[in-house]
Each structure stands twice: as structure tokens, then as C-alpha cells.
Amino acid sequence: SLGGLPKADGLTKPKEADTPEHESQAGVEAKYEVVRLVHATKFNPTGPKGERLDSPNLITRLTANTTPIELPGFQTLLEVKCPQKRGGLVTVKMLDPKGNEVMKSEGSLAFGARDQTTFLIDWAPFTAPLPGKYVFVAEIGGQKVREEPLNLEVAKDQPKAP
């Protein structure tokens, strides 16, 4: 026999942390603002501490020269600002001109000392179903925060892919 269990006399349930950060976020809904949603062949760290991502090769439209429409991989950068510094699930979808999902990336936003953070996506090379206006839809915590179009054009005299 173990000689009985100790009694919990005089113990109280721990209180929630009463930190200023906890008080300021209690009952306050996080507000997310998309600073930018841009695409590039590759983003590189810039700034004194490499805290910003930029690219000299921003993509404003996609162009294909083959049928079927085969596109190289590229990156999408989502920069988000949230005064409450509250992280959340982020989803970025690429929809074709008919509204069908072509690709999707999911992850978590995390904020440090600053109220701004980035989410970088490496899209793999893919075959697009048709030319036209593609739309990138960004959602945070299930709430749509941005829709951004990107046109896909196919050259007129395109060779057949091997």
C-alpha cells in the first residue's frame, strides 16, 4: 500500500495570465491586412537583417509557349499585417478562369515582435488547364483577405510539348 494519496486542501486553480498582451487581446477579433500578394521566379532576402523579401523578377502575367500549357515553378509572397499579432491558418488557392482550384498551399502565420509577417509559397511546375484570368485567393482563419488576378497567355504559334 502507498499509505494514501495527499489531499488537495488549500490548493486553488491557477488563474489565466494577466499580462498586458493577454488583456489587450481578450475578446478582440484579429484584423488582417494584406500588405502585398506578389509573384516572382524567386524572392531574395533584402534589408540590413534580411527581414524583407524582394525580387527583381516580379511576375505580372504568365506566358506559355506549349500545348498542353506547361508552366515553370514560381513563388508567391503574401505579406500580412495584424495589429493584434495573432497568428492563424493561412490558405492561398490558385483558381482557373472557370473558378476551379488548380493549386493550394496552407500553413500558419506567426508574428514575432513586429505586427507584420510573410508567408512564402514555392509552387511546383504545373500544367494549366486553359489560358485566361487566374485568381489567387488568400484566406486567414477562414476569412477571405485578398483576391488577386494573374493572366495566363499562350503564344499563337506554340509548339506541341514533347
Side-chain angles (χ1 to χ4, degrees):
S1 164
L2 296 176
L5 295 174
K7 297 196 178 193
D9 294 339
L11 294 179
T12 59
K13 192 174 187 179
K15 292 181 181 177
E16 284 203 36
D18 288 329
T19 62
E21 183 180 341
H22 181 268
E23 288 173 11
S24 68
Q25 290 191 15
V28 176
E29 184 177 328
K31 300 231 183 305
Y32 299 100
E33 174 193 342
V34 174
V35 177
R36 64 183 183 151
L37 174 66
V38 289
H39 316 282
T41 50
K42 180 157 180 55
F43 286 95
N44 299 303
T46 62
K49 298 177 185 169
E51 69 277 0
R52 184 165 165 84
L53 292 171
D54 257 318
S55 176
N57 304 312
L58 290 180
I59 297 171
T60 56
R61 70 172 197 252
L62 296 171
T63 306
N65 296 318
T66 61
T67 304
I69 306 168
E70 294 180 6
L71 296 168
F74 62 96
Q75 293 184 322
T76 295
L77 176 68
L78 176 66
E79 279 187 19
V80 178
K81 188 172 192 162
C82 177
Q84 299 81 14
K85 300 180 192 173
R86 193 164 314 150
L89 177 67
V90 61
T91 304
V92 177
K93 299 178 206 173
M94 179 184 192
L95 306 178
D96 71 16
K98 293 182 178 179
N100 299 314
E101 186 178 294
V102 177
M103 297 189 292
K104 175 169 85 171
S105 181
E106 293 181 322
S108 295
L109 284 182
F111 291 87
R114 298 176 58 225
D115 66 354
Q116 193 166 316
T117 191
T118 58
F119 183 68
L120 183 64
I121 303 163
D122 279 312
W123 300 110
F126 68 101
T127 301
L130 65 154
K133 185 171 103 177
Y134 283 69
V135 178
F136 286 80
V137 179
E139 297 175 352
I140 302 172
Q143 146 192 355
K144 188 188 298 181
V145 291
R146 177 67 69 92
E147 270 192 31
E148 195 75 35
L150 186 67
N151 286 321
L152 169 58
E153 301 164 0
V154 178
K156 295 218 186 282
D157 298 318
Q158 71 269 23
K160 295 281 183 202

